[in-house]
Each structure stands twice: as C-alpha cells, then as structure tokens.
Amino acid sequence: MDPSDQKHFTAVDYVIFAVLLAASMGIGLYHALSGGRQRTTQEFLMADRSMSCLPVSLSLIASFQSAVAIIGVPAEIYTHGTQYWFIGCAYFLGLLIPAHVFIPVLYKLRLSSTYEVVYMGVCVYTPAFALNAVTGFELWGAVLATGLACTLYTTMGGLKAVIWTDVFQTAVMFAGQLAVIVVGVNQTGGASEVWRKVWEGNRISALNLNPDPTERHTFWTLGVGGVFLMLSLYGVNQAQVQRYLSARTEKEAVRSCYMAFPSLQLSLALSCVMGLVMFARYCGEDHSAMLPTSSNQMNLTSDAMVIYFVMDMLEGFPGLPGLFVACLFSAALSTISSAFNSLATVTMEDLVKPHVPAMTEARATLVSKALAMSYGLLCLAMAYLTHLMDVSVLNVALKLFGMVGGPVLGLFCLGMFFPWANPTGAMAGLGAGLALSFWVGIGSIFNRSSGARPLSAGCRAALLSDNSTSAVHTALDNLTLSKPSGLNRFYSLSYMWYSAFSCFAVILIGLIISFLTGPMKEEDVTPGTIYPVFGKLLCFLPEHLKKKLCCVTPRGPTLSAPRCKEGNGLVLAQEDGTSHEELDRFLPEVQAAFVEHETTV
Ligand SMILES: CC(C)(CO)[C@@H](O)C(=O)NCCC(=O)O
Ligand code: NA
C-alpha cells in the first residue's frame, strides 16, 4: 500500500468518531454539573459510593480491555492459534476470589494500591498508531486528542464520569468488534468456510498440558498463572478497588464482580474470533502488496497487520472503518481514564494527605483534579516511550501487569493471610519481589528468543504441508527445542507466570524476614483484619492447635462473622474500640515508598 493507496475516512466515519468523543465529553460535563458538582473528594474519587452493579461491572471490564486487547489478541490468535483463549478458564477463580476474599476485606478498610504508568502510554499509543496507519491521520495529533479529551472529561466529571463513559465506551467497543466479525465472515463465505480454513490452518489449538514453565501459553500458564494475573488486576489493582468501593453496598460490589464474568468472556471470545476470521480471510494469500512499504521492509508487527486487515475488510462499508476506530479509541479512553483517576487517588491519599494533614475539602478536591490532569499529561510522554519500542503490545501490557501487579498482590496476601508478617518483612518482601520480577522481565527483553516471529512463514507453514515447508518446520522446531540453560532459562519464564512468581516471592521473603525480625504477635493483630484462610483450610485441627499455629484471628469479629454494613463499609467495624484500618499495620509506609517509586518510573 503506497501512500496514494491510503484508505480514506468518509464523512460518515468522521461523524461516528466525533460522536464518540463528543458523547464522552458530554458525560463528563453532565457529571461536572449534576449531583454534588464534583466539589468533594468523596464524589470526585469515589463517585459518592452511589453506583449500582451494572455500570460498575461494565466499568470493571473496561479498565483492562484496551485497544491492546482488541488488536493484540487477534494478532496472537492469528499467529499462534487459539491457545490464548484458555485464559478464559482463569476468569472463574480470577473473579470469584476477588468477590469473596478481597471485596469483604476491602470493604472494611480504606486502602490503595498502585498502577502502572507505563501501561497508559501503550494504551494511548495503540489506537493512534492504528488511525495513523489507516488514514494517515497525524499520529501525535491523535495521541494528543485522545489524551486531552480523556484528561478533560476525567477532570471535569470525576469517577462518576469515568464509570459512565466506560459503560458507553464498552458498548461502542463491542459494536466495533462485532462489525468486523460479521463483515469478515461474509467476505470469507460464511461461518462454515471460516471454520474449515482455521481448522485446516491448524489454528484451533488443543489444550496444551506441557508443564514446562518456559512454554509461553499452556493450560498451566494461562489457567493457573492467569488466575494470579487476574487477581492482581481484579483483586488489588487501585482502579478496580475504587470501583468496588464506589458501589452502593458490598453486596452490589460482589454482584458487579459476578456480572463482569460473562462480559469478560464475551470480550475475550470476540477478540479471539476476530483473529480466526482474519486468518480465514487472509492467510495463504500473498498480501505483501497491501502492506505499507515502510513496515514491509522490516519488523512488521502482527499488531500492525491486524489493523491493515481490518481496514481492508471494512473498505466499501461507509461508517464501519469509523466505527472500528471509535471502538479502538473507546477501549483506550476507558482504560486511561481509569488510570488518571486512580493515580490521582493514590497520590492524594498516600503522598499528599499524609504531608498536608490540615487541608480543606475544597482544596483537596482541587488538588485531586490537578493530579488527574497531570497524570493525563504524563500519559502523553509515556506514549512517546511506547513509540520507541517495537514489540507486541499485548505482551508488553501483560508483562507490565505481572511485573508490577504481582508484587502488589503478594503484599496484600502477606498482610491479609499471614498474621505474623511485620512491616520490615513486608518492605523487604515487596522490594525483593519487585527486584526479582523486573530482573526476569527486563532479562527476557534482552534475551528475546520468541519475539516477533516471521508471521507469513508461520501462516503458510500452517496451511501447506508439502516438503517445501517441512524445512521451515524443522527450522522452527530447532529454534523452540533448543532449551535455554542457567540464567537464560530463568529469563525465558513464561510471562504468564510473572504475577504468581513475584507474588510468592514477596510472601516467602516477607515471611522469612518477619520471623527473623520478630513476627507480629497474636494480640497485636487488629481483630478482623486477617482473612482466616488457614483457619478455614485447617478446620479439621483441634482448636488449641490452631491457636498455637496462629491460624485464627484473635478475639473480635472475623471476616466471616456478621459485620457492620453501614457507611458502605469503608469504616472498619469498631465494636471493641479498636479503630485500626485493615492492613494498616504496615501498608501506609510500604505504599508511600512504592507509589513514589511507581509514579516516577
Ligand atoms: C487482561 C486480560 C487478560 C483480562 O481478560 C485481557 O483483557 C487482556 O488480554 N488485556 C490486554 C491488555 C489491554 O487490553 O490493555
Ligand atoms: Na478500556
């Protein structure tokens, strides 16, 4: 595709795209002018804790469903087959555990975790790159427009606007994906034809039960490692925690978690089917002519390929290219708006308030708005970083989730499940966990053996099975069969294990250091702040033995006991005069240190 071949947006396309931005701004404006007019931090950062489960659940799925998933997952399926789809197995436990373990604890406390700044960059860059590739629309113009539009409605309308724009944007996202699938299936000649081609092309993967932890996608990495990934996203991530707490009641929060399950499965299915349809439509054809010469010369990523295929399919359907681009931008907006708002909250709670205790509410709200805005601008800088990396966006995003989310998950688990953990142990554990996960994550980048694969070779090798391709097969087999050794083996740990690996590292090191420096004593642990997981697991043991092992929460209510429901649960039950906040025996110090580190990445 030389520049003259560039697809052009029709007027309808521009209108659809403009409607998306205008509607999002409208929702922001509405929430700036209605309700309490965003004059308190309670409203700006917590949506007045007035939300019902439907918007919260759609917003939950919107947070981590960005253009990265919409482009990256089809690219993954196109290149490697449907194995990735099995991550859907992880959604069961990945949402049940947050609903029944994390939400009850979160609902008693006020807590914050942290978020990845770099990830925002990937999110805002991806759709701009697509738009640029398709229409020649100025890349940085699109990045600026997205970043600024999002900053504006987030700053105006607070979390209410973020959640309600999520609802609208999720609908646009589904519509765009559906449009691509319907058109693609039609052009290929019907669903059965698509099925025949992907079947013959070997894209339907059987469940891979290989236990090797360096194998990128297997049932174990996706179904088990994926649970930890999901827990770091849906259990302890700041953006999601804020959504749970914005719900009217704890029950409503749990319900929203359940409702997120089918939408998340639907979203995964749409992305995977889109990858299959593209494979059926394009694999086996020589499409080098339609790809831009610049990217043809060297490393054309599979992500870019998805964009060209989609736009090629949708050509001649006025409005649909616009809808697809709107779908990408919706996905991106709903993710970065969550990031802006949650980063503003973390910074406010952990960095600003502790240092400026006597702030008026009006001032605190103003500062929060300023923070939301600054993170919006920081995001633009991060987009530039993404521009400099030429890697699969899906891998980058999921690696970041694991590298940063895993240690945070470990920290929470340490505090919630292990009564012995003390602040020193928590600090050391978190530090060591982060160091280990960055070590393996960065090591893997420099030791890339499974980076961008020769896409068309894989595609054709899959379709043809004559002698000419068996050479390709042998070459590929040799490539994957030569097992790395020593440190290289550590670096080739599947990125799907990052969350689990760093979570366990934090817990293990945290416990060892806690025991060395003097574990917390039973009577020092705030009643009700420990989820009695060992008590529950070891329920067959006699009571005195359990006490000895410190498996029971001393005195006071345990989390399974009836608890105070009033005030949306943010206030901890204070039956016996203790006014501690959950995990607060060490979280504030650790978090402050961590946030400082995180936000300055
Ligand atoms: C995070 C999961 C695995 C959750 O389903 C999925 O949404 C995904 O692959 N997301 C990619 C990251 C992103 O969309 O930004
Ligand atoms: Na999103």
Side-chain angles (χ1 to χ4, degrees):
M1 185 168 81
D2 65 75
S4 62
D5 223 20
Q6 199 113 56
K7 315 243 177 319
H8 285 287
F9 258 24
T10 61
V12 197
D13 293 316
Y14 280 113
V15 168
I16 288 181
F17 189 52
V19 165
L20 164 74
L21 287 182
S24 300
M25 299 297 238
I27 294 171
L29 200 62
Y30 173 80
H31 288 286
L33 301 174
S34 65
R37 296 171 171 245
Q38 308 294 337
R39 276 191 289 237
T40 60
T41 46
Q42 186 74 318
E43 180 174 16
F44 187 72
L45 303 174
M46 285 293 169
D48 279 336
R49 299 183 195 144
S50 59
M51 307 299 294
S52 68
C53 56
L54 182 77
V56 172
S57 76
L58 287 175
S59 183
L60 282 174
I61 83 151
S63 307
F64 296 113
Q65 222 50 44
S66 74
V68 170
I70 294 180
I71 293 174
V73 175
E76 164 68 31
I77 303 289
Y78 185 99
T79 333
H80 303 286
T82 53
Q83 193 68 225
Y84 181 78
W85 203 332
F86 287 113
I87 198 174
C89 301
Y91 293 178
F92 290 93
L93 284 179
L95 289 170
L96 272 176
I97 297 176
H100 296 290
V101 177
F102 289 94
I103 292 181
V105 174
L106 294 168
Y107 251 76
K108 308 193 85 177
L109 333 149
R110 189 187 216 340
L111 346 134
S112 21
S113 79
T114 189
Y115 201 87
E116 304 85 29
V117 177
V118 182
Y119 172 55
M120 302 192 308
V122 183
C123 290
V124 78
Y125 178 76
T126 306
F129 172 75
L131 185 65
N132 169 262
V134 173
T135 65
F137 194 94
E138 172 62 40
L139 177 70
W140 297 104
V143 167
L144 269 176
T146 336
L148 291 181
C150 192
T151 307
L152 211 63
Y153 75 70
T154 312
T155 310
M156 282 192 306
L159 189 62
K160 284 182 188 169
V162 171
I163 291 180
W164 283 110
T165 48
D166 281 355
V167 173
F168 165 69
Q169 288 158 358
T170 307
V172 176
M173 188 178 87
F174 283 153
Q177 289 181 294
L178 216 57
V180 174
I181 290 174
V182 169
V183 170
V185 168
N186 266 331
Q187 290 186 350
T188 318
S192 53
E193 186 62 14
V194 170
W195 176 255
R196 191 184 65 76
K197 287 194 164 158
V198 297
W199 180 255
E200 284 171 7
N202 256 333
R203 288 303 100 159
I204 306 298
S205 320
L207 195 55
N208 180 351
L209 290 172
N210 184 349
D212 184 354
T214 62
E215 178 109 353
R216 216 168 58 99
H217 290 160
T218 64
F219 173 72
W220 310 112
T221 65
L222 294 163
V224 181
V227 170
F228 287 86
L229 176 71
M230 288 293 289
L231 289 184
S232 69
L233 298 180
Y234 284 80
V236 303
N237 186 280
Q238 174 66 24
Q240 308 299 64
V241 168
Q242 251 172 289
R243 279 162 178 69
Y244 298 139
L245 295 182
S246 76
R248 231 176 266 141
T249 59
E250 181 183 334
K251 218 180 188 157
E252 208 79 351
V254 172
R255 200 174 294 158
S256 70
C257 221
Y258 274 87
M259 287 168 63
F261 180 80
S263 344
L264 210 50
Q265 291 288 3
L266 174 67
S267 177
L268 177 66
L270 285 176
S271 305
C272 291
V273 169
M274 191 169 133
L276 290 178
V277 169
M278 267 173 16
F279 183 87
R281 170 85 174 70
Y282 289 100
C283 190
E285 277 179 22
D286 181 15
H287 35 250
S288 50
M290 67 175 270
L291 298 169
T293 35
S294 59
S295 28
N296 217 4
Q297 280 156 4
M298 33 178 296
N299 50 45
L300 167 70
T301 63
S302 44
D303 303 318
M305 199 139 196
V306 169
I307 297 159
Y308 285 102
F309 285 171
V310 167
M311 286 305 151
D312 183 58
M313 276 194 248
L314 297 183
E315 214 182 11
F317 293 87
L320 288 194
L323 180 62
F324 182 70
V325 170
C327 153
L328 292 180
F329 277 84
S330 284
L333 286 170
S334 58
T335 299
I336 56 178
S337 62
S338 308
F340 298 166
N341 191 277
S342 58
L343 279 167
T345 311
V346 178
T347 316
M348 192 65 205
E349 296 293 325
D350 294 341
L351 293 182
V352 179
K353 276 191 178 162
H355 295 120
V356 197
M359 210 183 333
T360 64
E361 185 60 29
R363 186 148 197 103
T365 311
L366 193 70
V367 173
S368 304
K369 289 180 182 171
L371 282 170
M373 190 181 251
S374 342
Y375 279 115
L377 301 179
L378 178 63
C379 166
L380 297 178
M382 289 301 149
Y384 187 68
L385 268 187
T386 311
H387 176 63
L388 302 178
M389 309 189 285
D390 63 324
V391 271
S392 147
V393 285
L394 181 66
N395 277 13
V396 172
L398 295 186
K399 262 185 190 173
L400 276 173
F401 288 163
M403 280 158 61
V404 185
V408 177
L409 177 65
L411 182 67
F412 274 73
C413 292
L414 188 65
M416 272 168 60
F417 303 139
F418 301 89
W420 319 280
N422 66 17
T424 320
M427 272 292 215
L430 180 65
L434 278 171
L436 278 172
S437 68
F438 276 84
W439 184 15
V440 65
I442 292 171
S444 76
I445 294 171
F446 290 107
N447 275 274
R448 218 172 342 148
S449 56
S450 60
R453 302 226 172 131
L455 188 67
S456 43
C459 173
R460 279 179 206 128
L463 275 187
L464 312 165
S465 51
D466 59 22
N467 286 341
S468 64
T469 53
S470 63
V472 177
H473 273 301
T474 324
L476 282 175
D477 285 351
N478 285 343
L479 205 79
T480 46
L481 281 182
S482 62
K483 282 263 162 63
S485 57
L487 262 187
N488 281 335
R489 186 158 167 77
F490 174 60
Y491 294 143
S492 43
L493 180 73
S494 167
Y495 71 103
M496 273 289 158
W497 282 122
Y498 286 8
S499 296
F501 166 69
S502 47
C503 173
F504 281 118
V506 171
I507 294 176
L508 195 70
I509 295 164
L511 282 179
I512 292 173
I513 303 290
S514 293
F515 278 113
L516 290 179
T517 57
M520 295 288 276
K521 291 201 203 64
E522 245 185 85
E523 54 271 25
D524 296 339
V525 178
T526 313
T529 62
I530 295 287
Y531 188 85
V533 68
F534 291 103
K536 284 189 172 172
L537 287 178
L538 303 174
C539 54
F540 54 88
L541 288 180
E543 201 61 28
H544 70 275
L545 215 76
K546 274 200 267 184
K547 264 231 160 74
K548 203 161 193 176
L549 289 167
C550 201
C551 296
V552 285
T553 322
R555 299 165 288 135
T558 63
L559 291 177
S560 48
R563 35 182 187 274
C564 84
K565 290 270 191 236
E566 112 296 311
N568 240 330
L570 254 198
V571 196
L572 183 68
Q574 300 193 354
E575 281 102 298
D576 50 358
T578 44
S579 61
H580 298 263
E581 293 167 337
E582 163 73 3
L583 301 178
D584 271 9
R585 62 201 148 111
F586 59 70
L587 274 181
E589 301 135 55
V590 175
Q591 271 166 5
F594 187 55
V595 167
E596 249 153 305
H597 158 82
E598 254 323 285
T599 47
T600 49
V601 172

PDB file of all heavy atoms in Angstrom, residues 30 58 75 111 265 325 332 409:
ATOM      1  N   TYR A  30     -21.846  16.448  32.112  1.00  0.00           N
ATOM      2  CA  TYR A  30     -23.061  16.185  32.887  1.00  0.00           C
ATOM      3  C   TYR A  30     -22.714  15.946  34.352  1.00  0.00           C
ATOM      4  O   TYR A  30     -23.336  16.515  35.253  1.00  0.00           O
ATOM      5  CB  TYR A  30     -23.812  14.979  32.310  1.00  0.00           C
ATOM      6  CG  TYR A  30     -24.981  14.557  33.144  1.00  0.00           C
ATOM      7  CD1 TYR A  30     -26.200  15.243  33.056  1.00  0.00           C
ATOM      8  CD2 TYR A  30     -24.885  13.496  34.050  1.00  0.00           C
ATOM      9  CE1 TYR A  30     -27.279  14.882  33.846  1.00  0.00           C
ATOM     10  CE2 TYR A  30     -25.949  13.127  34.839  1.00  0.00           C
ATOM     11  CZ  TYR A  30     -27.140  13.817  34.740  1.00  0.00           C
ATOM     12  OH  TYR A  30     -28.205  13.469  35.527  1.00  0.00           O
ATOM     13  N   LEU A  58     -19.572  -3.185  34.081  1.00  0.00           N
ATOM     14  CA  LEU A  58     -19.068  -2.847  32.744  1.00  0.00           C
ATOM     15  C   LEU A  58     -17.779  -2.052  32.850  1.00  0.00           C
ATOM     16  O   LEU A  58     -16.865  -2.194  32.041  1.00  0.00           O
ATOM     17  CB  LEU A  58     -20.121  -2.070  31.966  1.00  0.00           C
ATOM     18  CG  LEU A  58     -21.286  -2.943  31.493  1.00  0.00           C
ATOM     19  CD1 LEU A  58     -22.356  -2.114  30.828  1.00  0.00           C
ATOM     20  CD2 LEU A  58     -20.789  -4.021  30.539  1.00  0.00           C
ATOM     21  N   ALA A  75      -4.141 -10.662  16.924  1.00  0.00           N
ATOM     22  CA  ALA A  75      -2.800 -10.887  16.381  1.00  0.00           C
ATOM     23  C   ALA A  75      -2.212 -12.164  16.959  1.00  0.00           C
ATOM     24  O   ALA A  75      -1.610 -12.972  16.242  1.00  0.00           O
ATOM     25  CB  ALA A  75      -1.895  -9.699  16.691  1.00  0.00           C
ATOM     26  N   LEU A 111      -8.162   1.364  51.443  1.00  0.00           N
ATOM     27  CA  LEU A 111      -6.834   1.030  51.023  1.00  0.00           C
ATOM     28  C   LEU A 111      -6.559   1.471  49.626  1.00  0.00           C
ATOM     29  O   LEU A 111      -7.440   1.729  48.863  1.00  0.00           O
ATOM     30  CB  LEU A 111      -6.534  -0.436  50.980  1.00  0.00           C
ATOM     31  CG  LEU A 111      -7.264  -1.539  51.539  1.00  0.00           C
ATOM     32  CD1 LEU A 111      -7.352  -2.582  50.501  1.00  0.00           C
ATOM     33  CD2 LEU A 111      -6.358  -1.979  52.644  1.00  0.00           C
ATOM     34  N   GLN A 265     -15.882 -12.807  29.327  1.00  0.00           N
ATOM     35  CA  GLN A 265     -15.801 -13.958  28.418  1.00  0.00           C
ATOM     36  C   GLN A 265     -16.213 -13.537  27.009  1.00  0.00           C
ATOM     37  O   GLN A 265     -15.584 -13.927  26.030  1.00  0.00           O
ATOM     38  CB  GLN A 265     -16.715 -15.099  28.894  1.00  0.00           C
ATOM     39  CG  GLN A 265     -16.280 -15.783  30.175  1.00  0.00           C
ATOM     40  CD  GLN A 265     -15.048 -16.660  30.008  1.00  0.00           C
ATOM     41  OE1 GLN A 265     -14.459 -16.738  28.934  1.00  0.00           O
ATOM     42  NE2 GLN A 265     -14.628 -17.298  31.096  1.00  0.00           N
ATOM     43  N   VAL A 325     -12.477   2.340  14.365  1.00  0.00           N
ATOM     44  CA  VAL A 325     -11.538   3.257  15.003  1.00  0.00           C
ATOM     45  C   VAL A 325     -12.140   3.793  16.305  1.00  0.00           C
ATOM     46  O   VAL A 325     -11.460   3.894  17.334  1.00  0.00           O
ATOM     47  CB  VAL A 325     -11.136   4.391  14.038  1.00  0.00           C
ATOM     48  CG1 VAL A 325     -10.368   5.473  14.767  1.00  0.00           C
ATOM     49  CG2 VAL A 325     -10.278   3.832  12.912  1.00  0.00           C
ATOM     50  N   ALA A 332      -9.399   2.430  24.523  1.00  0.00           N
ATOM     51  CA  ALA A 332      -8.266   3.142  25.099  1.00  0.00           C
ATOM     52  C   ALA A 332      -8.722   4.181  26.122  1.00  0.00           C
ATOM     53  O   ALA A 332      -8.184   4.264  27.219  1.00  0.00           O
ATOM     54  CB  ALA A 332      -7.474   3.819  23.998  1.00  0.00           C
ATOM     55  N   LEU A 409       0.127  -7.754  44.639  1.00  0.00           N
ATOM     56  CA  LEU A 409      -0.751  -8.839  45.065  1.00  0.00           C
ATOM     57  C   LEU A 409      -0.111  -9.590  46.228  1.00  0.00           C
ATOM     58  O   LEU A 409      -0.774  -9.890  47.224  1.00  0.00           O
ATOM     59  CB  LEU A 409      -1.009  -9.792  43.892  1.00  0.00           C
ATOM     60  CG  LEU A 409      -1.848 -11.028  44.199  1.00  0.00           C
ATOM     61  CD1 LEU A 409      -3.261 -10.633  44.586  1.00  0.00           C
ATOM     62  CD2 LEU A 409      -1.878 -11.976  43.000  1.00  0.00           C
TER      63      LEU A 409
END
